[in-house]
Amino acid sequence: MFNIFKKSSPVQSHLFFKTDIHCHLIPGIDDGAAVASEGADLVEQEREWGIERIICTPHITEDTFENTPEIISDAFAKLKAELDARGTDISLEYSAEHRLCPFFFSELEKGHIRPFPNNYLLVENSFLQETWNMDQVIYDLAIKGYKPVLAHPERYQYYIQNRDRYMQLHRSGLLFQVNLLSLAGYYGKAQRQVAEWLIDKEMVDFIGSDMHNKRHAEAIGHYMQSKDYRKHAAALEGRILNNRAFL
């Protein structure tokens, strides 16, 4: 187990929410945890941070991570088995982070999509450009009964350069999930500034760790000791939907 998990270096505070809705802990099926033991280490770190419920969200992306329900279920079972062998008690579920691409739309038509409870659905754009016909996609998902949640809007450069688009999308019913790592400055100054701007504009509906590996865990752990963390937690606690959307 890596250093941040050692009892000689305990985390001094808990996260201000109890449910993580975005993380890549299911082993071997995307760019997150490679093996079950690594995924279990990350689960146990979240538990130390006070997280009581984790909804794992492996990538579903055309050409790179074309994960089907069977692939995800089999890998999830390996993670659960590792945690059971350790006696780690935590509520663990899975959905996915769905890239809005032809593979997603094909899986949607086949009924292969597994949303969060209450039909919330975590989606993402390409980092190169917004999904074609984005407004229609949001509308169509809503008509089908889904509540789309855009993963890490603060990381898309084309939105950073056009903040009015954030307002248009959010007003249309698209919910926003901001990454802890963005608020920690892990991706850069611009991403942190936009994440803070979204907080100020009351457009942050969910927070997620988006944790893939031990480097991410260490970055979040250090961030939790900072004045920035306390400021962000005070602004978001009670406002985000993490703890009440899935009851």
Side-chain angles (χ1 to χ4, degrees):
M1 194 174 291
F2 36 91
N3 289 340
I4 195 170
F5 299 141
K6 289 183 178 178
K7 297 193 180 296
S8 60
S9 302
V11 171
Q12 297 300 316
S13 59
H14 282 183
L15 290 169
F16 56 92
F17 55 94
K18 300 296 183 183
T19 300
D20 186 6
I21 72 159
H22 186 178
C23 56
H24 298 266
L25 313 184
I26 297 178
I29 60 172
D30 67 0
D31 56 346
V35 294
S37 59
E38 180 183 352
D41 285 347
L42 295 169
V43 168
E44 290 181 342
Q45 177 61 86
E46 293 220 39
R47 189 165 170 263
E48 286 188 24
W49 288 336
I51 293 294
E52 298 174 357
R53 184 181 188 182
I54 298 174
I55 305 177
C56 300
T57 53
H59 288 290
I60 295 181
T61 310
E62 189 170 51
D63 294 332
T64 52
F65 305 116
E66 294 188 347
N67 286 313
T68 63
E70 294 76 19
I71 292 171
I72 296 173
S73 178
D74 288 349
F76 180 77
K78 294 176 183 177
L79 177 60
K80 283 283 290 180
E82 175 69 22
L83 290 166
D84 289 344
R86 298 183 183 197
T88 302
D89 182 23
I90 193 168
S91 176
L92 194 68
E93 307 160 53
Y94 70 88
S95 176
E97 181 182 7
H98 305 86
R99 175 71 59 85
L100 294 174
C101 63
F103 183 75
F104 164 75
F105 296 117
S106 173
E107 292 293 281
L108 183 67
E109 289 303 313
K110 295 174 185 175
H112 289 174
I113 299 302
R114 182 186 177 104
F116 295 148
N118 295 329
N119 263 12
Y120 290 91
L121 187 70
L122 188 67
V123 299
E124 70 166 343
N125 277 328
S126 162
F127 284 102
L128 299 178
Q129 61 185 13
E130 183 182 85
T131 298
W132 182 80
N133 211 12
M134 182 72 168
D135 298 275
Q136 187 66 44
V137 169
I138 297 166
Y139 177 80
D140 290 345
L141 288 172
I143 289 295
K144 292 177 183 293
Y146 295 109
K147 303 168 188 174
V149 180
L150 182 64
H152 44 62
E154 74 282 359
R155 295 189 64 197
Y156 304 113
Q157 190 64 36
Y158 44 86
Y159 291 156
I160 293 174
Q161 296 171 348
N162 179 15
R163 295 192 185 187
D164 285 345
R165 186 60 173 149
Y166 286 120
M167 296 182 180
Q168 293 168 357
L169 291 170
H170 201 259
R171 281 198 299 263
S172 76
L174 183 63
L175 301 171
F176 288 167
Q177 174 265 302
V178 164
N179 283 359
L180 278 177
L181 287 162
S182 297
L183 291 169
Y186 184 86
Y187 305 113
K189 184 177 179 180
Q191 288 74 15
R192 184 184 65 203
Q193 288 177 339
V194 169
E196 291 176 332
W197 179 81
L198 290 169
I199 293 173
D200 290 342
K201 297 299 182 181
E202 299 187 358
M203 289 194 288
V204 178
D205 304 290
F206 294 93
I207 291 290
S209 71
D210 199 9
M211 187 159 61
H212 288 62
N213 51 53
K214 67 179 182 180
R215 295 187 305 280
H216 289 171
E218 289 165 354
I220 292 170
H222 290 306
Y223 163 62
M224 289 170 65
Q225 309 308 310
S226 69
K227 291 181 181 178
D228 282 341
Y229 171 76
R230 292 189 289 275
K231 178 181 70 175
H232 298 149
L236 289 167
E237 192 168 12
R239 284 172 43 184
I240 56 172
L241 300 175
N242 291 59
N243 297 339
R244 61 182 189 271
F246 313 119
L247 298 177

Coordinates of all heavy atoms in Angstrom, one line a residue, residues 76 114 217:
F76 N -16.0 -5.7 -12.0 CA -16.5 -5.2 -10.7 C -16.5 -6.4 -9.7 O -16.2 -6.1 -8.5 CB -17.9 -4.7 -10.9 CG -18.5 -4.1 -9.7 CD1 -18.2 -2.9 -9.1 CD2 -19.5 -4.8 -9.0 CE1 -18.7 -2.4 -8.0 CE2 -20.1 -4.3 -7.9 CZ -19.7 -3.1 -7.3
R114 N -26.4 1.6 -18.0 CA -26.7 1.4 -16.6 C -26.5 2.8 -15.9 O -25.4 3.2 -15.5 CB -25.8 0.4 -15.9 CG -26.0 0.1 -14.4 CD -25.0 -0.8 -13.9 NE -25.1 -1.1 -12.5 CZ -25.6 -2.2 -11.9 NH1 -26.0 -3.2 -12.8 NH2 -25.7 -2.4 -10.6
A217 N -4.8 10.1 -5.5 CA -5.1 10.0 -4.1 C -4.2 10.9 -3.3 O -4.7 11.6 -2.4 CB -5.0 8.6 -3.6

